[in-house]
């Protein structure tokens, strides 16, 4: 195991957490909530006890700790950084203090050092991301624009045809613009024309952040080209398009190491494990408090409140590393498991971005009532969707479908036939007026205006969304810790106490169905695969 660093602890709960709006949903009958000390010492083995004690204030304490870690470590918690290592230590110490076992599981993956520097007619460095499928190299050469369009609305087919490269100077760096065709076509055409490297800059066709920031191109596989290919911002592309531009482009491969944290609360059975997970890493641009401190913190709060319980089924929580680099941590962990170990996993629950400030309440659409899934939905996943919807119905909270796309950390689980489900509150997609009417917030703005930006701080979360989603997580985990019969046919035990579970659920709002294309349900962080 790597050397341990000192974990940073949170201070007091954010002041805002003590003043939740009156509209926040209440699941339980009106009664005095137990003191926090009582929650920490009693066995929360019923719905009523657990839902009384799982509190948004506790979630915010963990978010404050993650913010403090970022503050002390260059304002981020990205993989391969001291901020991520400190986040790992914080999770481990929190779990061990709560009586859970905690294991730090290392994994290795291919990574790259990337740099993009303009040498003339100006000198400047620009943000750049290596394309998946790129080659490596260190190239200093003239930059040659290829059929780009810097005039609004900047429609283009830059690099989409071999003819775009007619007369291209061999050994130069090709500057191509996002638009019309896949990144792979642009890169392959450039390589065929004799380019020594390729810079793909964002299109800049709208003012939206994702149409101007540094893109993360994917070329559709590994080793697609032998030359270095990077993505950068629209502004960088404009600067590099100047006459007489030269640049140095570097993509240098190396083997990187990161870590998953696996926490476990032993049950009476160990061959029907209930798993839930959230990625722990941020992007390098910011602290990642909504993405995905929110899911990570909710699991920590739940782990603490379950600490005195003895569940029927073993509960296993995971905090994944290197998700922002392409779901690496969860994929590596699943690949490290034997077939028998995977067979012992009854189900997997995924919680990625559950506190978006301009939120909607989304449940992964396993029954495909709104969206035809682009992946095979494992049998039993519909029961998970139903269970999460039961909680929202109990809470009187309107919810909607979120596409069951496999584009988050549940991907490796569903590829192995493990029933899965989860929650999501939105990222870069724009909220509609209909959605504003349902959930409040502001139409015309992103669900998370700080998605993948430096402003994804402790001020970038909705306490209302965090509260209702943390309750839903607690409800689902307790349900399946007792019995997974609805998922995989394995019977269990009844949860003690009197608690009325809905016989019917309210159903989704279907606010994404008309004209949305399902875009509001992209809870992925993998590299963009097309040019549009």
């Amino acid at each position: 195991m790597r050397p341990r660093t000192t974990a940073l602890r949170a201070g007091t709960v954010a002041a805002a957490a003590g003043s939740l709006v009156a509209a926040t949903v209440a699941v339980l009958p009106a009664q005095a909530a137990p003191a926090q000390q009582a929650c920490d010492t009693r066995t929360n083995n019923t719905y009523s006890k657990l839902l009384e004690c799982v509190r948004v204030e506790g979630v915010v304490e963990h978010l404050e700790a993650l913010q403090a870690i970022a503050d002390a470590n260059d304002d981020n918690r990205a993989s391969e950084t001291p901020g991520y290592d400190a986040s790992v230590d914080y999770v481990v110490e929190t779990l061990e203090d709560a009586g859970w076992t905690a294991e730090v599981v290392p994994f290795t993956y291919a990574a790259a050092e990337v740099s993009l520097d303009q040498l003339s007619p100006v000198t400047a460095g620009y943000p750049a991301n290596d394309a998946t499928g790129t080659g490596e190299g260190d190239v200093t050469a003239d930059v040659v624009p290829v059929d780009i369009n810097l005039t609004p609305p900047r429609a283009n087919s830059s690099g989409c045809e071999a003819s775009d490269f007619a007369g291209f100077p061999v050994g130069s760096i090709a500057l191509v613009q996002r638009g019309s065709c896949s990144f792979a076509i642009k890169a392959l055409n450039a390589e065929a024309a004799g380019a020594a490297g390729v810079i793909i800059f964002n299109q800049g066709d709208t003012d939206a952040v994702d149409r101007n920031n540094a893109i993360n191109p994917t070329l559709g596989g590994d080793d697609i080209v032998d030359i270095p290919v990077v993505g950068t911002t629209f502004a960088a592309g404009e600067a590099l398009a100047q006459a007489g531009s030269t640049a140095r482009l570097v993509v240098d491969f190396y083997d990187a190491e990161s870590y998953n944290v696996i926490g476990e609360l032993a049950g009476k059975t160990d061959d029907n494990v209930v798993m839930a997970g959230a990625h722990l890493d941020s992007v390098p641009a910011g602290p990642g408090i909504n993405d995905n401190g929110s899911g990570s913190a909710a699991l920590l709060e739940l782990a603490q409140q379950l600490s005195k319980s003895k569940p029927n089924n073993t509960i296993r929580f995971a905090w994944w590393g290197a998700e922002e680099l392409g779901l690496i941590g969860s994929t590596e962990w699943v690949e490290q498991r034997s077939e028998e170990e995977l067979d012992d996993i009854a189900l997997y629950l995924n919680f990625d971005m559950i506190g978006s400030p301009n939120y909607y309440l989304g449940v992964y659409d396993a029954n495909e009532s709104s969206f035809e899934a682009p992946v095979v939905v494992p049998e039993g996943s519909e029961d998970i969707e139903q269970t999460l919807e039961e909680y929202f119905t109990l809470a009187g909270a309107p919810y909607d479908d979120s596409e069951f796309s496999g584009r988050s950390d549940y991907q490796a689980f569903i590829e192995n036939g493990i029933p899965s489900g989860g929650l999501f509150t939105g990222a870069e997609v724009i909220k509609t007026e209909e959605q504003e009417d349902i959930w409040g917030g502001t139409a015309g703005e992103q669900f998370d205006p700080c998605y993948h930006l430096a402003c994804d701080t402790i001020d970038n979360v909705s306490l209302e969304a965090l509260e209702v989603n943390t309750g839903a997580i607690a409800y689902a985990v307790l349900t399946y810790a007792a019995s997974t019969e609805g998922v995989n046919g394995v019977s269990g035990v009844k949860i003690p106490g009197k608690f009325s579970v809905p016989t019917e659920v309210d159903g989704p709002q279907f606010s994404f169905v008309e004209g949305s294309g399902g875009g509001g349900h992209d809870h992925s962080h993998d590299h963009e695969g097309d040019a549009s």
Side-chain angles (χ1 to χ4, degrees), residues 17-74:
S19 57
L20 290 175
V21 298
T24 299
V25 295
V27 173
L28 301 172
Q31 55 187 328
Q36 187 61 51
Q37 184 177 2
C39 285
D40 293 342
T41 57
R42 78 182 188 184
T43 301
N44 293 316
N45 62 342
T46 71
Y47 287 120
S48 295
K49 288 181 178 179
L50 184 61
L51 293 173
E52 284 172 355
C53 288
V54 172
R55 297 171 175 172
V56 73
E57 291 90 345
V59 179
V60 172
E61 286 183 354
H62 298 304
L63 293 180
E64 283 191 319
L66 296 176
Q67 178 70 62
I69 288 169
D71 291 344
N73 291 281
D74 296 323

Side-chain angles (χ1 to χ4, degrees), residues 165-459:
F165 293 87
F168 184 85
V170 173
S172 299
I173 297 171
L175 178 67
V176 297
Q177 186 173 7
R178 181 183 191 177
S180 297
C181 66
S182 72
F183 300 133
I185 290 174
K186 297 173 187 286
L188 288 166
N189 283 338
E191 183 177 44
V198 182
I199 300 168
I200 306 174
F201 69 98
N202 214 334
Q203 189 169 358
D205 51 326
T206 73
D207 292 333
V209 171
D210 66 322
R211 307 303 292 186
N212 289 274
N213 61 0
I215 53 178
N216 293 279
T218 180
L219 305 184
D222 297 328
D223 303 320
I224 300 300
V225 295
D226 293 325
I227 59 176
V229 179
V230 302
T232 190
T233 65
F234 174 76
E238 278 191 306
L240 289 162
Q242 296 177 75
S245 180
T246 60
R248 183 185 182 196
L249 168 61
V250 179
V251 176
D252 183 21
F253 295 152
Y254 66 95
D255 290 330
E257 184 176 55
S258 191
Y259 312 91
N260 297 316
V261 181
I262 307 298
E264 196 159 284
L265 185 65
K268 297 175 184 177
T269 66
D270 59 6
D271 59 354
N272 194 48
V273 178
V274 174
M275 276 200 75
H279 76 84
L280 184 59
D281 61 318
S282 74
V283 294
I289 299 303
N290 183 43
D291 183 16
N292 182 40
S294 59
S296 295
L299 289 182
L300 285 173
E301 167 67 3
L302 180 55
Q304 289 176 315
Q305 298 309 325
L306 286 171
S307 63
K308 306 300 181 184
S309 300
K310 181 67 174 178
N312 181 58
N313 297 318
T314 292
I315 302 172
R316 181 183 298 150
F317 288 169
W319 288 263
W320 306 117
E323 189 271 359
E324 297 289 5
L325 302 178
L327 315 180
I328 295 173
S330 56
T331 301
E332 290 293 322
W333 187 85
V334 170
E335 290 181 354
Q336 291 166 356
R337 308 276 75 76
S338 68
E339 184 175 345
E340 182 179 1
E341 288 173 321
L342 292 176
D343 288 342
D344 287 343
I345 301 172
L347 58 93
Y348 174 74
L349 306 172
N350 193 63
F351 304 113
D352 187 356
M353 300 181 68
I354 63 166
S356 300
N358 198 29
Y359 71 92
Y360 81 100
L361 298 174
V363 182
Y364 292 4
D365 186 17
N367 66 5
E368 302 177 82
S369 60
S370 291
F371 303 101
E372 181 178 351
V375 295
V376 175
V377 179
E379 185 178 354
S381 300
E382 290 187 28
D383 190 82
I384 297 171
E385 180 183 6
Q386 173 85 8
T387 297
L388 292 167
E389 290 178 350
E390 285 176 4
Y391 180 83
F392 289 118
T393 299
L394 279 167
Y399 59 89
D400 213 335
D401 288 320
S402 178
E403 184 183 21
F404 197 102
S405 65
R407 296 176 66 183
S408 188
D409 284 308
Y410 64 116
Q411 181 182 74
F413 291 88
I414 64 175
E415 287 177 348
N416 283 274
I418 296 171
S420 298
L423 302 173
F424 178 58
T425 55
E428 77 278 20
V429 169
I430 303 300
K431 174 174 273 189
T432 67
E433 291 183 0
E434 178 186 1
Q435 291 161 347
E436 179 186 304
D437 290 341
I438 298 169
W439 292 286
T442 306
E445 294 187 3
Q446 294 180 183
F447 290 118
D448 183 353
C450 290
Y451 175 60
H452 282 187
L453 298 177
C455 56
D456 187 8
T457 67
I458 194 72
D459 297 319

